[in-house]
């Protein structure tokens, strides 16, 4: 628990530092020159050293989960990627990032303003080294989820087989949409 707490504090500290220093570390600024001289040329060395000590302390890889990246603003997506590459590019740190590739590619393109010859997909390939696509649920899986949710919410008697099929199809077999519909139904009529 202490290690996880320390990791969260360190990660929060790194993101806060990114936000506070990125404008002051521009080329040509007096603060940038002072910071570079003080740190021996690498203003992020202290952060990486702290993360290295965390990894050494545990003797194991540290997994960092970033979910729903596709819900961030375009600049927010780039800040997360910057933090991953600049601050937390530490041996033993493994990032698991959950996102919709097309949406994040559009957000990167919007923020960076790439031309037709440079694609945001190319940018993503430099950051994300291994991808795993989660397959969409099929009708049988979605119907099973629906039945489990209906049972858990005490509403299974209100939805016959035809209604269940309609719910699954109208929500495109999407587990999040199915749960959202049922939560709304329970709140409105429960």
């Amino acid at each position: 628990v202490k290690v996880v707490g320390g990791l969260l504090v360190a990660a929060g500290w790194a993101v806060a530092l990114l936000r506070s220093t990125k404008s002051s570390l521009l080329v040509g600024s007096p603060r940038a020159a002072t910071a570079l001289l003080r740190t021996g040329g690498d203003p992020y060395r202290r952060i990486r050293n702290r993360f290295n000590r965390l990894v050494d302390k545990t003797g194991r890889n540290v997994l960092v989960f970033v979910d729903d990246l596709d819900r961030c603003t375009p600049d927010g997506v780039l800040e997360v990627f910057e933090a991953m590459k600049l601050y937390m590019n530490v041996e033993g740190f493994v990032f698991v990032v959950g996102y919709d590739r097309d949406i994040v590619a559009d957000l990167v393109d919007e923020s960076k303003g790439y031309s037709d010859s440079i694609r945001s997909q190319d940018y993503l390939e430099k950051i994300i080294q291994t991808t795993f696509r989660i397959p969409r649920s099929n009708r049988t899986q979605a119907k099973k989820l629906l039945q489990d949710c209906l049972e858990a919410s005490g509403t299974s008697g209100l939805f016959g087989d035809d209604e269940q099929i309609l719910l699954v199809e109208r929500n495109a077999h999407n587990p999040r949409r199915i749960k959202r519909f049922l939560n709304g139904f329970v709140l409105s009529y429960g």
Side-chain angles (χ1 to χ4, degrees):
V1 175
K2 285 184 180 181
V3 172
V4 171
L7 173 62
L8 291 175
V9 168
W13 182 67
V15 171
L17 186 64
L18 167 67
R19 288 186 174 147
S20 67
T21 61
K22 72 179 180 179
S23 62
S24 66
L25 292 176
L26 297 173
V27 176
S29 95
R31 287 178 63 188
T34 304
L36 287 174
L37 288 174
R38 231 182 306 134
T39 60
D42 185 358
Y44 307 112
R45 185 179 64 208
R46 276 188 15 203
I47 297 168
R48 280 193 295 276
N49 287 342
R50 189 169 191 165
F51 288 139
N52 274 323
R53 284 193 302 274
L54 272 172
V55 171
D56 290 343
K57 188 175 184 178
T58 64
R60 306 173 106 182
N61 286 343
V62 176
L63 290 174
V64 178
F65 290 89
V66 178
D67 195 15
D68 293 331
L69 186 63
D70 50 359
R71 293 183 180 187
C72 290
T73 63
D75 290 339
V77 168
L78 292 180
E79 282 185 15
V80 169
F81 285 148
E82 274 182 43
M84 287 169 53
K85 291 306 269 179
L86 291 176
Y87 299 129
M88 299 178 220
N89 190 12
V90 174
E91 184 78 27
F93 260 66
V94 178
F95 291 89
V96 177
V97 184
Y99 66 96
D100 181 303
R101 183 180 179 94
D102 293 333
I103 292 173
V104 169
D106 288 346
L107 292 171
V108 167
D109 188 46
E110 184 179 327
S111 186
K112 290 227 176 242
Y114 285 131
S115 67
D116 290 340
S117 62
I118 301 174
R119 299 175 338 157
S120 52
Q121 297 284 353
D122 297 332
Y123 175 84
L124 289 175
E125 288 175 5
K126 290 179 180 180
I127 304 291
I128 306 297
Q129 294 165 1
T130 303
T131 58
F132 176 78
R133 292 195 180 270
I134 298 174
R136 298 214 181 266
S137 58
N138 61 36
R139 175 189 265 186
T140 304
Q141 293 167 325
K143 189 169 180 192
K144 172 74 171 117
L145 170 71
L146 174 62
Q147 290 169 340
D148 291 345
C149 291
L150 289 170
E151 188 68 36
S153 67
T155 57
S156 58
L158 301 175
F159 293 88
D161 199 45
D162 290 339
E163 289 86 6
Q164 289 181 27
I165 291 170
L166 180 65
L167 266 170
V168 167
E169 294 303 319
R170 295 296 291 167
N171 287 292
H173 307 171
N174 184 305
R176 184 174 287 161
R177 288 182 189 170
I178 291 169
K179 288 181 178 182
R180 184 181 307 129
F181 172 84
L182 285 176
N183 288 336
F185 180 82
V186 170
L187 285 173
S188 296
Y189 303 105

